[in-house]
Amino acid sequence: MDKRIIFAVAGAGKTTTIINKLSLEENSLIITYTENNFKNLKKKVIDKFGYLPENIKIYTYFNFLYSFCYRPFLTNRLKSKGINFNQELPEYSKRVKDTTSLYYRDKTHRLYHKRIAKLLVKTNLIENINNRLAKYFDNMFIDEIQDFGGHDFNLLNFLTQANININFVGDFFQHTFDTSKDGNVNQNLYNDLTTYIKRFDQMGLIIDTKSLGKSYRCSSTVCHFVKEKLGVNIESHNNNTTNISYLDEAIEIKEILENNSIIKLFYQNSNKYNCFSMNWGKSKGLDHYNDVCIVLNTTTLKKYRDDTLLDLPASTRNKLYVACTRCRRNLYLVDEKSVRHYKN
């Protein structure tokens, strides 16, 4: 069995790598976290085959967890009614940890998403799940592996024991979300890249840090900027140079803000602005933009001017890395204060 993890950079072809390994002869399971990437993967599969083949199944992670892993074994026993995605766990759920208690589900019998993975382990279902994986699939691909946290990361260790080929693909520095957080479970998982890689080595996976180390999407100019300013070791397959411009002239900013072919990426609250926009972290998985405008909030703008972007908190720096690497050509930077009049 081939079991490996590929560490990639933005635009290196993570999705393409998965798509290239799909065939009509083998049954393949693809799991991803974000809805953006789910739609992107589905589109790419259809582009390759002309339709979505029955032997290829694509799941968002919690759909896989609930419908493939949980329902066949525990629905009748626990009488659950879906998933509770509330981020905060109520105090009463912490009192006891038996499988029928409020530790795993709320009063309406919806399972807390943060603890479904733990519930599967607690109820000794891993062997059953792995047998089910081997029964229906030859290959399992998990994209956006860098977003697996909490008990979900621990579950990966057990799933790697399934008798099928396994490929994990992800970008450590694109860790902008967590599938779940529960207290101090794996809270330091993303503090250090070397330690993070070691966790997968301990799972017995082949570690590949080379094959997806260069970006097809981003220019050498953008890659150099990201490498120098954000500390991400990214190179480009292209030798082309593009522009990275900080705009402070009102007429230039107006032209960019009102150009609907250029997406405006905000740190947060993009929906409050009357323009074609999205938040930095939310843009992950999107790769069809030529030019991108990044709106810098007060803290990030100061770091940019002081040339200290490396000192940003990791979560902010990662989101900025995601935003910078959405473009194929030019990158524009503007001060959030200069676009406040576009606020709804």
Side-chain angles (χ1 to χ4, degrees):
M1 292 293 131
D2 180 59
K3 299 175 189 283
R4 66 180 61 232
I5 179 169
I6 305 174
F7 287 90
V9 296
K14 295 188 293 295
T15 301
T16 301
T17 297
I18 292 173
I19 299 301
N20 287 344
K21 292 185 178 183
L22 301 177
S23 73
L24 298 177
E25 288 72 45
E26 293 185 328
N27 297 320
S28 294
L29 166 67
I30 308 173
I31 300 168
T32 189
Y33 178 40
T34 64
E35 286 290 339
N36 278 343
N37 215 38
F38 171 81
K39 294 173 184 176
N40 190 37
L41 281 162
K42 186 176 180 180
K43 179 182 181 300
K44 294 292 178 66
V45 172
I46 293 173
D47 286 345
K48 176 173 181 173
F49 296 104
Y51 62 102
L52 186 61
E54 289 188 4
N55 67 308
I56 298 172
K57 304 298 182 186
I58 309 173
Y59 285 87
T60 55
Y61 172 65
F62 284 103
N63 186 16
F64 163 75
L65 208 60
Y66 188 78
S67 62
F68 187 90
C69 300
Y70 169 83
R71 286 186 64 184
F73 306 108
L74 289 176
T75 299
N76 291 335
R77 176 177 161 188
L78 298 186
K79 308 297 183 185
S80 60
K81 298 179 180 179
I83 302 176
N84 181 333
F85 284 101
N86 290 340
Q87 292 302 313
E88 296 299 321
L89 294 170
E91 287 297 320
Y92 63 73
S93 71
K94 298 177 182 178
R95 294 177 186 170
V96 288
K97 299 183 181 182
D98 65 89
T99 57
T100 59
S101 74
L102 294 175
Y103 180 82
Y104 292 102
R105 63 186 188 183
D106 64 19
K107 293 179 179 179
T108 64
H109 287 207
R110 291 182 302 159
L111 299 176
Y112 293 118
H113 79 285
K114 298 181 178 185
R115 290 178 176 159
I116 299 176
K118 183 175 182 179
L119 176 63
L120 298 174
V121 175
K122 176 77 173 180
T123 50
N124 299 313
L125 285 178
I126 298 303
E127 184 176 354
N128 300 70
I129 294 169
N130 284 346
N131 288 339
R132 183 168 159 79
L133 284 170
K135 177 181 178 180
Y136 291 106
F137 301 107
D138 302 296
N139 309 295
M140 177 169 69
F141 302 93
I142 299 185
D143 200 1
E144 300 178 303
I145 198 69
Q146 76 282 344
D147 288 333
F148 282 67
H151 300 294
D152 301 310
F153 185 86
N154 291 340
L155 182 64
L156 294 178
N157 186 46
F158 295 104
L159 296 184
T160 58
Q161 299 167 17
N163 191 30
I164 57 175
N165 297 313
I166 292 174
N167 276 241
F168 296 159
V169 185
D171 180 350
F172 178 80
F173 295 101
Q174 286 195 62
H175 172 236
T176 57
F177 305 107
D178 285 288
T179 51
S180 66
K181 290 182 179 179
D182 189 2
N184 61 2
V185 179
N186 285 316
Q187 66 175 350
N188 298 318
L189 183 62
Y190 294 97
N191 287 358
D192 175 70
L193 176 58
T194 301
T195 304
Y196 181 72
I197 291 175
K198 188 178 294 185
R199 294 288 296 271
F200 290 99
D201 184 52
Q202 291 168 347
M203 293 181 193
L205 301 181
I206 297 170
I207 309 296
D208 180 352
T209 60
K210 302 294 184 182
S211 61
L212 295 179
K214 290 186 176 183
S215 178
Y216 289 98
R217 180 194 310 139
C218 302
S219 68
S220 56
T221 307
V222 170
C223 288
H224 179 75
F225 175 83
V226 168
K227 189 173 184 177
E228 291 293 311
K229 305 300 183 183
L230 302 179
V232 179
N233 189 24
I234 182 174
E235 305 286 345
S236 177
H237 280 288
N238 309 309
N239 292 320
N240 58 319
T241 56
T242 57
N243 294 320
I244 300 178
S245 309
Y246 177 78
L247 306 180
D248 53 13
E249 295 291 333
I251 190 168
E252 291 181 311
I253 294 171
K254 182 177 186 294
E255 183 179 339
I256 294 294
L257 263 288
E258 296 180 5
N259 185 340
N260 285 335
S261 69
I262 300 176
I263 190 166
K264 274 61 69 174
L265 299 180
F266 289 77
Y267 173 68
Q268 61 184 4
N269 298 324
S270 63
N271 61 317
K272 294 184 178 180
Y273 291 83
N274 186 26
C275 61
F276 176 39
S277 65
M278 188 178 291
N279 289 344
W280 294 353
K282 266 289 200 184
S283 68
K284 183 165 62 175
L286 301 178
D287 65 354
H288 57 282
Y289 302 116
N290 287 320
D291 300 332
V292 168
C293 174
I294 298 178
V295 182
L296 299 174
N297 62 330
T298 301
T299 301
T300 308
L301 177 62
K302 184 178 187 307
K303 297 288 187 186
Y304 171 73
R305 287 174 170 165
D306 294 342
D307 198 23
T308 57
L309 288 173
L310 275 172
D311 295 336
L312 285 168
S315 60
T316 303
R317 191 174 68 245
N318 289 353
K319 289 175 183 176
L320 182 57
Y321 162 53
V322 168
C324 288
T325 53
R326 294 312 94 193
C327 67
R328 295 181 177 274
R329 292 189 314 211
N330 302 315
L331 189 62
Y332 303 101
L333 308 173
V334 300
D335 179 0
E336 188 175 53
K337 292 178 182 177
S338 70
V339 301
R340 64 177 62 175
H341 53 288
Y342 285 90
K343 215 166 188 178
N344 294 325

